[in-house]
C-alpha cells in the first residue's frame, strides 16, 4: 500500500482552484463566447481540463490510501464495531465510509452508525460562510442520520462555541468536525493517524452522551 503524497500539479490545483482553474473548467464554453478566444484557445482549455482531471484522480487515490491506512489504525479499536468499505461521493474532493459504535452489556441495542468523510477544501473556498480557506485544509466530518438523537445537544458538547452555526456550514445531521492544515509533505498515512485521533476523540467513551441525547 502506497504512503502517498500528492503530485506537484495537484498541489498547484489546491492552491489555485478558486483563483481561476475551476472557473475555466466550469465555464469554458461561456468564456470562449465572450471574445476571449485569443487568450483561452480550445487547446489551452483542454490543458486546464487535463490538469483538473489529473488533480481529481490524484486526490481520490490519496484519500483512498488514507482510508486504507485508517482501517489498519482502527483494527484493534475497542470502541468501533465495524467500518464499511470506502465509498465515493459525487464531490470530487470527498471519500466516505460508515462507522458503527461498539456497545456492551445485555439487552437489545439499536446500532449507532455514522457517516465519516475525509475531504479536501481548496484555497479561497468557503467553509464557514465566507472564503476563509487561506491555505488548503483537510476536513474530518462525522454525520449521524438518526432521528432518535438530539444532535444539537451533542454538538454543544463537542463544539460549545459554534454548535449553532455548524449545521449551516456543513449539514444539519453533522455530529462533529475538525480541520487540519494541509502541506505538501503530509502523507496519506499521516492523515490516517490524525483521522484515527479524531474518531477516538468523538466516538470513544461517548455512549453515555448518546444515551442522554436520545429523544
Amino acid at each position: 500500500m502506497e504512503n502517498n503524497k500528492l503530485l506537484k500539479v495537484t498541489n498547484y490545483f489546491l492552491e489555485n482552484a478558486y483563483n481561476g482553474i475551476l472557473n475555466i473548467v466550469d465555464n469554458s464554453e461561456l468564456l470562449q463566447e465572450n471574445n476571449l478566444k485569443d487568450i483561452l484557445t480550445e487547446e489551452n482549455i483542454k490543458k486546464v481540463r487535463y490538469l483538473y482531471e489529473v488533480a481529481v484522480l490524484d486526490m481520490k487515490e490519496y484519500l483512498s490510501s488514507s482510508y486504507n491506512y485508517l482501517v489498519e489504525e482502527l483494527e484493534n479499536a475497542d470502541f468501533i464495531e465495524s467500518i464499511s468499505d470506502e465509498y465515493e461521493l459525487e464531490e470530487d474532493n470527498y471519500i466516505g465510509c460508515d462507522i458503527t459504535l461498539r456497545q456492551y452489556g445485555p439487552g437489545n441495542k439499536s446500532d449507532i452508525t455514522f457517516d465519516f468523510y475525509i475531504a479536501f477544501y481548496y484555497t479561497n473556498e468557503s467553509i464557514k460562510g465566507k472564503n476563509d480557506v487561506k491555505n488548503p485544509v483537510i476536513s474530518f466530518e462525522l454525520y449521524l442520520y438518526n432521528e432518535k438523537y438530539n444532535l444539537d445537544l451533542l454538538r454543544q458538547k463537542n463544539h460549545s462555541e459554534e454548535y449553532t452555526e455548524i449545521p449551516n456550514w456543513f449539514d444539519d445531521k453533522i455530529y462533529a468536525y475538525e480541520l487540519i492544515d494541509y502541506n505538501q509533505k503530509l502523507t496519506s498515512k499521516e492523515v490516517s493517524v490524525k483521522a484515527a485521533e479524531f474518531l477516538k476523540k468523538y466516538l470513544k467513551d461517548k455512549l453515555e452522551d448518546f444515551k442522554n441525547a436520545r429523544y
Side-chain angles (χ1 to χ4, degrees), residues 13 52 59 79 173:
F13 173 78
Y52 170 74
M59 281 189 289
F79 61 96
K173 296 302 181 183

Side-chain angles (χ1 to χ4, degrees), residues 106-118:
N108 295 325
K109 300 176 181 65
S110 177
D111 283 347
I112 307 175
T113 299
F114 300 83
D115 289 25
F116 176 57
Y117 301 141
I118 306 176

